Amino acid sequence: MSLIRVCAYAKYLNRRNLFEKHTVCMSFAECVQLCMLRRTGEVRRISETSWQLQRRNVSCVNPKAEDGKKRVHVQSQLLDVLEARISQLQSDSVLDVQHAKVQLIRPNTSSRWVLSRKSLKNAPQDKTEIGKGPSKSKPSRWLEKLSKERMTKLTEKHLQQKLQKNVEKKPPTNSKRSINSLMRPNTTIKTIVSGANKTVPLNKIKRQFALSEEFSSALSPPVTSTTVSTATAISCGVSEWEQKSLKNQAVSETGGNVEKQAQGEELERRLIHQESQGMSSSDKHEKSKEFFSWNMRIRIRCYLEACVFVGDSERAHRFLLNQHRLTGRRKHLSTDEYNIIIRMWAKHGMFEKIGRVLILLEEAGLKPDLGTYCASLECIGRMPISSPKTVTRCLSQMKKDGFSVNDVFSQCIFQQDERDMVLKAIHTVKPDYQPRTNVTTHQNSSPLVQDFYMQRAGHRYPKLDITWKELQERFKRQLNMEESGTVTIDSVEAAKPVTENMAKMRQLLAEYHGKWQKVLLQALRDSKNHLAKTSTCNYSNLYPYLCLLKDDEYVDIMLKSVSNMPFSGESLKILAEDLGSKVFSRYSVQQKYKNQSVKKLETIYNAYTELLAKDTKEYVVLPREQWCKLEMEHSLGPTLQGDETRWPHTLTLELGTYMMELMVNNLKIHSNLFDSSYNRKLIPVFYHMYTFRSTFQIGVIKPHPILTKMQQEAIETKLTFASSVIPMLCPPMPWSSVKSGAYLLIPTKLMRVVSGATQHEELLKECKNLHPVMDSLNQLGNCAWKINKPLLDVIISIFNHRGNEKLDIPPPLSEAPKIPYFNPHDPTYTASEKAQMRKNLVIAKKTYGEMHSLRMDALYKLSIANHLRDETFWFPHNMDFRGRTYPCPPHLNHLGNDVTRSILVFAEGKPLGSKGLDWLKIHLINLTGLKKRSSLQERLQFANTIMEDILDSADNPLNGKKWWMNADEPWQALGCCMEIAKATRSADPTQFISHFPVQQDGSCNGLQHYAALGRDVIGATSVNLVPSEVPQDVYNGVAQQVEQFRAQDAKNGLQIAKVLDGFISRKVVKQTVMTVVYGVTRYGSRLQIEKRLKEIEEFPTDHIWEASHYLVRLVFSSLKEMFKRTREIQDWLTYSAKLISKCGHPVEWVTPLGLPIVQPYHRKRCQRLKTTLQFIHVNIGYDANMNPDTVKQKNAFPPNFIHSLDSTHMMLTALHCYSTGLTFVSVHDCFWTHAVNVDTMNMVCREQFVSLHSQPILEELSNFLLHKYCSNSRSELSKKKSQEFRRLSEMLAAVPETGDFDLQQVKESTYFFS
């Protein structure tokens, strides 16, 4: 730049009366320096606003006009820059670069600089950043405070004078020297990023620095004040000693003013404190960065696996290479991602390409693991000539890294013939080597199950009433069903007569389905062709995922979603998740076939069924043990347990949204199907629109009314379900590991959690004591079921007639109230009338939607049951994060409502024996709810007195006296009536083969566990842990206590207590008492009591709100008096969880059976997912990297801990019932078995409860929490953290005291479970 341009700038400023105004503040050297900064574009970006950047980035069509605009724009930008610069020099001479996108990096003299945005961004030592590009934000606080500190003004001036003298004394600068020579040692360089991905080129910077001596002096590092030096030191990570030395030097030059020095130190202390606070806030963002890194790594891995699966090796290799080259992506990669490509090339025997990937692995700073060596050996084995030297070198390196050859065969997952190839390579140097099969003996630290596993002399495990040949046939049928992915069954509504209109609508739907199939198929292929040409460096490219299945399969999934679309529409997020999950499920099945593990599965399963079949020898091993033994015996070939990655939630949503967009854009229907007056044109079948759910706006996909009308009038006779929805036709595969169990091919989680949560799976993988948990799940899953056909026929007849709400059979939609027509613009209605009409419209729509939902739910359950009416079937089980067990099929299972439970009976029948019929009668009275306070003998006598009503109900359920309809559980009561009628009419009731399950329910089971934990005598007596002649009713006891409090308050003149006279009953307080043990709040309790009071017609409605508040207080006071120890334990658990979560940890514990549990309640964060249709906001509350949600953690810990104890009790009961040959299933704290085995099950149930609570549960919990959260050294903590640490330690160590209750009394308590 020449002096002429400098003068031109000065002249321009003179015209604006700026240069003369501020001449004193700007020296010639500063003016030259400013011009140089203007030329490089640095100051321009310092002062630019976001709007100016947007304006500058807009391109014009006319080049001349563009040049003219640029000149004007540049001048205005220069004016803005100089104004900002002069104002800064006039105020404090402080250069504020807050608005520049500046990065500070240390000069590297040993290596060549690479001035790229990404390299600077990802350099680990170069993370200090000033500003984040053009922004409207204000300068940082510490700079504002520095500028306001007038007391340091004198210090600043003296330091500026000294630095200016140093500049003047500086020797002439060589114009050809490098940038590094212009910098002081340990000084950072400000690199100005100019554009989205551009930086100032190094050679251009060098040319700009090749100036005269005067310009070089002007361009020396612009340190103008002590404050700037201190700020730069803090920002650049300069040591504290250097900061102090700079400040002390400046203070000494002012004469050593002690007061100002102290003030300066205080300022510096505040600056450092603010900086530390900034660092701590940035540390909080590290957790979200960890989740982002994990999510990106999973997405990369899924993309690579998809490419390898479809055989696109080049795309997979290019993709990994692109990720490796991008420094920002490389840091997210792990050895697993490189191993995918290494295994891919090993399949082709390309050792050279494996070598290249290994070089990339080394460049990434990663080490080979066992999978790397395994794939390398496999590749050598596939080569025509295996080099012993190469194998020896590979084995020696593997040994150096701490791996043995046996580890390869015991820990690696093999596909196809990989194992054989590895063994072939090893045989080139070790011809006699054979992998050792490690027979793992059971080692469980829990004393609760040591005798169960070690002493099996008296064990006799039950067998199925099915032959071995039939089990093999059933396996093939189940395999075919899972391979197809869907099951189409007849609807129970198919029995209705087909009208002419129904036939017409069905024909129309069939025609459109044929057209839609062709349209979607072509659209999918066109879309794939377009995606195939896009860049392969982006893991969000969906092309590989659209090649996993055949095109017809994608179209089939989409068309079936058309049939299942709700008439009122559905959220795009829900629909997308459903579509994506179905693709993943089919992909997982195809993976097993490609890996050639299905044949091996068939071999092992056929051998395994010898353990269960009735015509084979007796075995004294558990199903899991037998399965593991067979896997070791058939170790050749692929591994049954795959290592495929489960897709993250975001990928499922993206793929599902993409498929949904194809449907919205391509599915059309004619507009004049029902009204010929309309013009005949094609209109979309689905519409994408937005609506409000609560206060949130969400995207919704709605079907066109024409499609809805066609589907309603067609009344389809077929229903299609996913294979996982239907119960299994053969015994489930036993759980033998965290990833292997339940269905044959469909992937199933051992622990069901929110999609995307991983902390539970990681805990389970690390746990070595899961055998009791898996064995109990296997026992529950091996129970065979069948349908109670006579009862099912009765239910279907009512369902197809008009339903019956009293009997929980939802009526058809024809019985729903008509949705009124409402014209909001009709002037004949007043504003109040319109408001009332809107309200009626909302109520009608809500009622219609609820009726449709209930009707479809019943239709699915009854249709599946009718489909299986002649079958024997099984429910595979898994568990939630607390250990509570659930059947995997969602619709038809024994955890359903009264209707569902009533149609399920045991497939295996057993003679009633001497007391079986009595237990059936007692069970019937329990289902009616008539004699809850009576003894078992009194219930039996009552059943004998009403035998006429029981037989009438069995013979004429719909036309007789209908006694059964008044029971609490009417359909189960009717089923029991039919079973009693058949038994009493048989020749010998003791030999009658009964399939009916008899239930024994715990008496307020949560309070039972609390009373046992606290050894609370009063509480134990109230919940039937103590033997008594008649059952103790805790709900009635609380109601009586509340009534006493109310009477006293009424006597004292309290008005609401007088109003409640005669209205306090067992029913009013039952729900609150039942749920208070599971953490219900006072607000929730008030709503429960309010609902009960509204059900009482005589109670005055104007007192409901006040009465519910009053009763909540009395109920909680009564519970506190009756269950003192319970409240102490509950409070201890609550406060412990509160302190733990405040320290930044989720609450974890281990059940007495060794199951690790962590509460998945974390602060929610919203992840915005960009799709082609809309942005989808995913609220993530399971991210373990986020801070825990303190409120949820503390409120949920007591109920979750009790749930984990009742699941432990159930599992112990299941294991010991299995060892005695009983059929046992459970619905949490309700245990089912045959009538003949009720006494045995009751004995086992009580023994295991006593055994469980004989352990020091609270002490072990305290020790675990202290070790988990309080094992850090206090010296490492700050003062505040140290106080929290001390409070937490004291709270966890303060285990509540226990009472004097003798647990052995439970064994004699008749009504503990009854």
Side-chain angles (χ1 to χ4, degrees):
M1 179 182 289
S2 63
L3 290 175
I4 298 176
R5 295 189 64 183
V6 175
C7 295
Y9 284 141
K11 187 176 180 181
Y12 178 76
L13 291 172
N14 201 12
R15 291 175 183 174
R16 295 291 302 269
N17 294 324
L18 289 172
F19 189 80
E20 292 178 356
K21 185 177 180 180
H22 304 292
T23 304
V24 180
C25 301
M26 181 180 291
S27 65
F28 179 75
E30 287 176 325
C31 184
V32 173
Q33 182 183 357
L34 183 61
C35 295
M36 281 301 302
L37 291 174
R38 174 65 189 88
R39 180 175 178 180
T40 58
E42 297 174 3
V43 177
R44 181 186 65 197
R45 283 157 184 80
I46 290 174
S47 63
E48 270 182 340
T49 63
S50 300
W51 165 245
Q52 288 170 337
L53 280 180
Q54 294 174 8
R55 186 174 58 186
R56 181 166 53 82
N57 289 332
V58 176
S59 61
C60 300
V61 179
N62 190 342
K64 293 184 179 180
E66 182 181 3
D67 293 338
K69 290 181 179 179
K70 280 185 178 179
R71 285 194 296 272
V72 175
H73 186 55
V74 166
Q75 291 175 353
S76 64
Q77 284 179 337
L78 178 60
L79 178 61
D80 294 338
V81 169
L82 294 178
E83 285 177 346
R85 173 63 175 161
I86 292 170
S87 63
Q88 291 167 357
L89 291 171
Q90 186 183 26
S91 60
D92 270 336
S93 302
V94 177
L95 179 61
D96 185 1
V97 292
Q98 175 68 19
H99 296 285
K101 190 160 188 176
V102 179
Q103 287 182 325
L104 302 179
I105 63 172
R106 300 183 185 277
N108 187 355
T109 57
S110 60
S111 61
R112 184 178 178 182
W113 284 24
V114 182
L115 291 178
S116 69
R117 179 185 180 190
K118 294 179 179 177
S119 61
L120 294 177
K121 177 182 176 182
N122 297 291
Q125 71 274 22
D126 305 335
K127 293 183 179 179
T128 310
E129 184 175 331
I130 299 180
K132 295 186 178 180
S135 172
K136 296 181 181 179
S137 62
K138 297 180 180 180
S140 57
R141 278 193 212 165
W142 58 268
L143 280 174
E144 289 181 356
K145 290 185 178 180
L146 283 172
S147 64
K148 294 178 182 179
E149 290 290 345
R150 299 300 179 187
M151 291 190 179
T152 58
K153 189 74 175 178
L154 186 60
T155 305
E156 296 169 10
K157 289 183 178 180
H158 278 280
L159 181 59
Q160 185 176 1
Q161 292 172 4
K162 181 181 177 181
L163 292 174
Q164 187 66 28
K165 290 178 182 179
N166 292 338
V167 170
E168 293 174 358
K169 293 179 182 180
K170 200 170 184 178
T173 306
N174 185 4
S175 61
K176 294 185 178 181
R177 62 181 177 172
S178 65
I179 293 178
N180 295 344
S181 63
L182 293 175
M183 303 299 295
R184 294 181 179 180
N186 298 326
T187 306
T188 59
I189 295 176
K190 299 178 183 179
T191 304
I192 311 297
V193 181
S194 57
N197 292 309
K198 298 179 182 179
T199 57
V200 182
L202 183 60
N203 55 359
K204 185 175 180 180
I205 295 176
K206 288 182 178 180
R207 287 197 304 271
Q208 292 167 356
F209 275 90
L211 303 172
S212 65
E213 180 181 350
E214 184 179 3
F215 290 166
S216 299
S217 300
L219 287 170
S220 60
V223 182
T224 59
S225 66
T226 307
T227 56
V228 175
S229 301
T230 307
T232 307
I234 293 174
S235 300
C236 301
V238 179
S239 66
E240 185 179 354
W241 181 86
E242 290 174 317
Q243 297 172 30
K244 289 184 178 180
S245 64
L246 280 172
K247 193 188 77 60
N248 291 336
Q249 181 183 2
V251 173
S252 64
E253 292 178 3
T254 63
N257 190 321
V258 179
E259 182 180 355
K260 291 183 179 179
Q261 182 176 356
Q263 292 172 350
E265 289 179 352
E266 174 64 20
L267 173 62
E268 182 179 331
R269 186 191 64 76
R270 296 203 326 249
L271 286 174
I272 296 174
H273 175 66
Q274 291 175 9
E275 182 67 19
S276 65
Q277 283 184 334
M279 291 297 292
S280 62
S281 63
S282 64
D283 289 341
K284 293 178 182 179
H285 294 291
E286 289 298 321
K287 292 187 175 182
S288 60
K289 289 180 181 178
E290 290 176 11
F291 180 82
F292 174 77
S293 176
W294 171 84
N295 189 64
M296 180 176 288
R297 184 165 59 252
I298 295 298
R299 288 295 301 266
I300 291 173
R301 192 180 306 170
C302 292
Y303 189 95
L304 290 172
E305 288 180 354
C307 291
V308 173
F309 180 82
V310 301
D312 199 344
S313 304
E314 291 299 329
R315 175 181 285 268
H317 190 89
R318 286 198 310 271
F319 177 76
L320 179 67
L321 198 58
N322 288 328
Q323 304 303 310
H324 178 84
R325 287 172 178 168
L326 298 173
T327 314
R329 296 281 179 86
R330 184 193 301 178
K331 64 183 180 182
H332 301 298
L333 296 176
S334 66
T335 307
D336 293 335
E337 286 71 65
Y338 292 92
N339 283 347
I340 294 174
I341 304 302
I342 292 174
R343 290 181 71 173
M344 178 187 72
W345 292 128
K347 291 281 191 303
H348 298 83
M350 297 183 176
F351 201 75
E352 292 181 1
K353 294 203 173 186
I354 290 180
R356 294 175 188 171
V357 180
L358 289 174
I359 294 174
L360 299 180
L361 186 69
E362 186 178 357
E363 286 180 3
L366 301 172
K367 291 184 178 180
D369 60 7
L370 205 57
T372 311
Y373 291 115
C374 180
S376 301
L377 291 171
E378 176 201 347
C379 183
I380 297 172
R382 293 187 187 277
M383 296 171 67
I385 302 176
S386 300
S387 172
K389 188 176 181 180
T390 307
V391 176
T392 304
R393 189 165 61 248
C394 182
L395 294 178
S396 63
Q397 184 62 39
M398 186 170 66
K399 187 176 181 180
K400 287 180 182 179
D401 289 343
F403 303 118
S404 66
V405 179
N406 231 40
D407 292 338
V408 174
F409 293 96
S410 61
Q411 299 179 27
C412 289
I413 305 297
F414 296 103
Q415 301 175 358
Q416 301 174 6
D417 60 344
E418 291 177 353
R419 188 181 189 277
D420 302 333
M421 294 297 104
V422 173
L423 195 59
K424 176 184 174 183
I426 294 175
H427 280 169
T428 59
V429 295
K430 297 181 179 180
D432 299 329
Y433 173 79
Q434 288 298 328
R436 294 195 304 271
T437 55
N438 298 324
V439 182
T440 57
T441 58
H442 180 84
Q443 295 179 352
N444 194 285
S445 58
S446 175
L448 293 171
V449 290
Q450 285 182 354
D451 291 343
F452 174 80
Y453 286 105
M454 303 304 295
Q455 301 175 9
R456 306 193 185 188
H459 290 191
R460 49 186 185 88
Y461 302 129
K463 283 180 167 281
L464 298 173
D465 192 21
I466 304 175
T467 63
W468 184 43
K469 193 84 170 176
E470 186 179 351
L471 285 175
Q472 292 178 349
E473 293 296 325
R474 289 180 169 276
F475 169 81
K476 294 178 181 178
R477 291 174 58 195
Q478 178 66 27
L479 195 67
N480 292 335
M481 184 173 73
E482 293 187 30
E483 182 185 1
S484 63
T486 58
V487 180
T488 302
I489 64 176
D490 291 327
S491 168
V492 292
E493 291 182 329
K496 292 184 177 181
V498 180
T499 63
E500 182 179 351
N501 186 53
M502 288 170 58
K504 179 182 177 182
M505 291 299 107
R506 290 176 183 177
Q507 184 180 358
L508 268 177
L509 279 175
E511 292 176 359
Y512 274 111
H513 270 260
K515 295 177 182 178
W516 293 340
Q517 184 177 18
K518 295 178 182 178
V519 171
L520 283 177
L521 191 61
Q522 186 60 43
L524 177 63
R525 287 171 178 169
D526 294 342
S527 177
K528 285 172 62 177
N529 292 335
H530 172 72
L531 289 175
K533 300 173 184 177
T534 57
S535 173
T536 60
C537 63
N538 192 353
Y539 60 79
S540 61
N541 189 340
L542 295 177
Y543 176 74
Y545 305 108
L546 294 173
C547 299
L548 297 173
L549 311 176
K550 296 178 180 178
D551 293 345
D552 294 337
E553 293 186 72
Y554 290 100
V555 173
D556 181 59
I557 292 173
M558 287 187 279
L559 286 179
K560 284 175 179 175
S561 69
V562 174
S563 304
N564 297 329
M565 176 75 71
F567 297 153
S568 58
E570 187 58 272
S571 163
L572 172 63
K573 180 180 172 183
I574 294 176
L575 292 173
E577 187 175 4
D578 180 62
L579 289 170
S581 299
K582 288 178 178 177
V583 173
F584 174 74
S585 182
R586 294 199 185 188
Y587 163 57
S588 301
V589 172
Q590 294 299 324
Q591 279 181 313
K592 290 181 171 62
Y593 276 96
K594 184 178 180 181
N595 297 340
Q596 300 177 0
S597 60
V598 178
K599 290 184 178 179
K600 184 175 181 178
L601 172 66
E602 183 174 3
T603 303
I604 294 178
Y605 190 90
N606 288 339
Y608 163 74
T609 51
E610 293 185 12
L611 177 74
L612 305 176
K614 65 179 181 180
D615 56 346
T616 55
K617 66 177 183 178
E618 296 286 340
Y619 288 84
V620 194
V621 291
L622 296 168
R624 174 190 53 81
E625 296 170 338
Q626 180 71 359
W627 187 270
C628 292
K629 178 184 175 183
L630 291 170
E631 276 194 293
M632 286 187 291
E633 291 176 358
H634 298 80
S635 58
L636 298 177
T639 310
L640 286 185
Q641 178 183 338
D643 60 345
E644 298 82 9
T645 306
R646 184 175 288 274
W647 286 356
H649 191 213
T650 53
L651 174 55
T652 305
L653 284 176
E654 286 178 15
L655 182 59
T657 306
Y658 188 86
M659 296 169 68
M660 198 70 235
E661 184 189 15
L662 287 178
M663 297 166 61
V664 171
N665 293 338
N666 295 282
L667 297 186
K668 308 288 183 180
I669 197 170
H670 286 102
S671 58
N672 63 342
L673 283 179
F674 296 106
D675 192 345
S676 57
S677 62
Y678 285 103
N679 294 329
R680 182 178 177 84
K681 62 179 181 179
L682 290 174
I683 57 176
V685 172
F686 294 116
Y687 289 89
H688 175 235
M689 57 183 63
Y690 293 89
T691 187
F692 282 92
R693 296 278 174 88
S694 183
T695 58
F696 298 97
Q697 187 182 27
I698 63 170
V700 175
I701 302 297
K702 283 201 170 188
H704 196 279
I706 294 178
L707 175 65
T708 301
K709 186 175 182 180
M710 288 174 60
Q711 291 177 334
Q712 286 178 328
E713 295 182 2
I715 309 179
E716 287 288 351
T717 60
K718 299 290 183 182
L719 296 173
T720 302
F721 297 99
S723 301
S724 57
V725 169
I726 307 296
M728 293 186 68
L729 302 178
C730 67
M733 192 167 65
W735 286 105
S736 57
S737 67
V738 176
K739 289 188 175 181
S740 177
Y743 293 99
L744 304 177
L745 302 177
I746 299 173
T748 311
K749 293 182 179 179
L750 175 65
M751 184 173 283
R752 51 172 69 184
V753 291
V754 181
S755 179
T758 59
Q759 58 264 44
H760 302 91
E761 188 174 345
E762 296 300 324
L763 278 178
L764 293 177
K765 286 180 180 178
E766 297 172 1
C767 183
K768 305 299 181 184
N769 299 325
L770 288 178
H771 291 168
V773 175
M774 291 189 289
D775 289 336
S776 61
L777 290 173
N778 295 335
Q779 188 275 331
L780 296 173
N782 278 341
C783 176
W785 299 85
K786 71 174 186 177
I787 297 296
N788 188 341
K789 290 187 284 187
L791 193 60
L792 176 64
D793 292 336
V794 175
I795 296 173
I796 290 177
S797 65
I798 296 178
F799 179 83
N800 281 335
H801 185 239
R802 294 179 62 180
N804 190 317
E805 293 187 15
K806 180 184 176 182
L807 298 177
D808 205 15
I809 305 296
L813 292 179
S814 58
E815 301 295 318
K818 300 297 182 183
I819 298 178
Y821 173 75
F822 171 59
N823 183 10
H825 305 292
D826 192 342
T828 59
Y829 295 111
T830 63
S832 60
E833 289 175 337
K834 289 181 179 179
Q836 184 61 39
M837 293 176 69
R838 284 195 191 93
K839 185 177 180 181
N840 295 339
L841 179 64
V842 171
I843 293 174
K845 287 184 175 181
K846 182 181 178 182
T847 303
Y848 184 89
E850 290 173 350
M851 289 184 63
H852 177 262
S853 177
L854 292 172
R855 181 73 177 182
M856 296 306 296
D857 179 63
L859 175 65
Y860 292 161
K861 292 176 179 177
L862 295 178
S863 298
I864 293 173
N866 193 53
H867 174 70
L868 299 170
R869 62 184 300 126
D870 298 317
E871 294 281 0
T872 300
F873 50 89
W874 288 261
F875 298 127
H877 279 63
N878 60 2
M879 58 185 172
D880 65 9
F881 73 93
R882 303 163 299 184
R884 281 198 150 190
T885 59
Y886 298 87
C888 295
H891 296 301
L892 180 68
N893 60 64
H894 57 287
L895 263 69
N897 58 6
D898 175 49
V899 176
T900 311
R901 295 186 188 189
S902 67
I903 57 180
L904 294 173
V905 294
F906 294 135
E908 180 186 7
K910 291 187 177 181
L912 284 177
S914 58
K915 296 183 65 177
L917 183 58
D918 291 345
W919 275 116
L920 281 175
K921 294 177 180 179
I922 293 171
H923 178 52
L924 173 61
I925 303 305
N926 290 344
L927 291 170
T928 63
L930 296 175
K931 296 289 181 179
K932 292 183 178 180
R933 304 178 198 175
S934 303
S935 65
L936 294 182
Q937 189 60 35
E938 290 172 341
R939 298 178 199 180
L940 178 60
Q941 292 175 359
F942 177 73
N944 289 328
T945 59
I946 59 170
M947 279 301 295
E948 182 179 350
D949 293 332
I950 294 173
L951 296 177
D952 177 75
S953 298
D955 297 336
N956 301 293
L958 301 180
N959 301 318
K961 299 178 182 180
K962 303 178 184 178
W963 169 85
W964 61 277
M965 290 187 180
N966 298 317
D968 288 351
E969 309 287 345
W971 290 108
Q972 292 180 76
L974 177 59
C976 195
C977 289
M978 293 179 175
E979 192 77 359
I980 292 173
K982 288 186 285 186
T984 54
R985 291 166 179 170
S986 64
D988 184 2
T990 61
Q991 298 301 316
F992 174 75
I993 304 300
S994 174
H995 298 261
F996 198 83
V998 175
Q999 306 168 17
Q1000 296 287 278
D1001 200 353
S1003 177
C1004 201
N1005 192 241
L1007 284 174
Q1008 287 180 331
H1009 283 285
Y1010 269 124
L1013 285 172
R1015 303 296 194 272
D1016 187 356
V1017 177
I1018 299 177
T1021 304
S1022 302
V1023 291
N1024 293 300
L1025 297 186
V1026 177
S1028 60
E1029 294 296 329
V1030 293
Q1032 301 298 312
D1033 188 356
V1034 63
Y1035 311 117
N1036 190 57
V1038 173
Q1040 292 176 357
Q1041 185 75 38
V1042 169
E1043 174 60 24
Q1044 291 179 10
F1045 289 152
R1046 185 212 61 80
Q1048 185 64 38
D1049 290 340
K1051 188 177 179 180
N1052 295 334
L1054 186 62
Q1055 183 60 33
I1056 191 62
K1058 295 178 181 179
V1059 173
L1060 282 166
D1061 186 18
F1063 291 106
I1064 296 177
S1065 63
R1066 178 183 187 273
K1067 186 177 182 180
V1068 171
V1069 303
K1070 178 181 178 181
Q1071 188 177 10
T1072 301
V1073 175
M1074 186 187 305
T1075 55
V1076 73
V1077 68
Y1078 298 122
V1080 68
T1081 62
R1082 288 181 179 264
Y1083 175 76
S1085 300
R1086 192 198 68 77
L1087 293 179
Q1088 293 170 348
I1089 292 176
E1090 180 182 298
K1091 187 177 181 180
R1092 299 286 85 82
L1093 292 176
K1094 286 180 179 179
E1095 294 173 355
I1096 303 175
E1097 296 180 359
E1098 297 82 7
F1099 191 81
T1101 57
D1102 54 334
H1103 289 92
I1104 286 180
W1105 190 87
E1106 185 182 2
S1108 61
H1109 271 281
Y1110 174 70
L1111 285 180
V1112 164
R1113 182 169 57 83
L1114 296 189
V1115 170
F1116 274 74
S1117 299
S1118 302
L1119 286 171
K1120 194 170 184 179
E1121 276 199 15
M1122 295 176 63
F1123 298 93
K1124 181 180 178 181
R1125 304 289 184 190
T1126 296
R1127 296 302 302 179
E1128 290 176 356
I1129 296 172
Q1130 201 169 18
D1131 291 343
W1132 179 67
L1133 294 173
T1134 301
Y1135 293 141
S1136 297
K1138 180 180 179 180
L1139 294 176
I1140 291 171
S1141 57
K1142 277 192 172 182
C1143 291
H1145 306 287
V1147 182
E1148 294 184 33
W1149 71 96
V1150 178
T1151 68
L1153 271 185
L1155 178 66
I1157 296 175
V1158 56
Q1159 294 193 143
Y1161 311 122
H1162 296 269
R1163 296 275 180 88
K1164 287 187 178 180
R1165 65 176 184 82
C1166 185
Q1167 181 176 356
R1168 195 165 85 152
L1169 183 64
K1170 183 179 180 181
T1171 65
T1172 50
L1173 279 177
Q1174 67 172 65
F1175 285 102
I1176 296 179
H1177 293 267
V1178 183
N1179 288 320
I1180 299 176
Y1182 51 80
D1183 184 359
N1185 295 312
M1186 298 294 289
N1187 288 331
D1189 188 325
T1190 303
V1191 175
K1192 286 187 177 181
Q1193 289 282 345
K1194 74 180 184 67
N1195 289 340
F1197 185 32
N1200 286 340
F1201 181 71
I1202 295 300
H1203 280 313
S1204 70
L1205 289 183
D1206 73 43
S1207 72
T1208 300
H1209 176 224
M1210 185 279 299
M1211 289 179 179
L1212 289 170
T1213 305
L1215 291 175
H1216 286 83
C1217 284
Y1218 189 75
S1219 66
T1220 58
L1222 268 68
T1223 300
F1224 173 89
V1225 292
S1226 76
V1227 181
H1228 304 317
D1229 58 350
C1230 181
F1231 299 164
W1232 298 18
T1233 190
H1234 288 92
V1236 67
N1237 294 327
V1238 171
D1239 291 318
T1240 306
M1241 184 187 71
N1242 280 335
M1243 180 187 67
V1244 172
C1245 167
R1246 287 154 175 78
E1247 288 177 350
Q1248 296 312 309
F1249 186 86
V1250 173
S1251 177
L1252 170 63
H1253 284 282
S1254 296
Q1255 307 298 316
I1257 296 175
L1258 293 180
E1259 288 77 7
E1260 290 179 352
L1261 175 65
S1262 173
N1263 293 335
F1264 175 84
L1265 296 178
L1266 283 169
H1267 176 75
K1268 177 75 178 178
Y1269 303 110
C1270 302
S1271 57
N1272 294 332
S1273 173
R1274 294 195 182 186
S1275 60
E1276 302 174 0
L1277 305 173
S1278 63
K1279 184 177 180 180
K1280 182 179 179 182
K1281 291 292 183 182
S1282 180
Q1283 292 176 353
E1284 294 178 356
F1285 178 87
R1286 178 177 54 79
R1287 289 174 56 199
L1288 176 60
S1289 301
E1290 291 174 355
M1291 174 58 68
L1292 295 181
V1295 180
E1297 296 181 357
T1298 57
D1300 302 324
F1301 172 64
D1302 182 11
L1303 275 176
Q1304 297 300 322
Q1305 296 184 60
V1306 176
K1307 295 181 179 180
E1308 307 300 325
S1309 175
T1310 304
Y1311 303 104
F1312 166 63
F1313 267 64
S1314 64

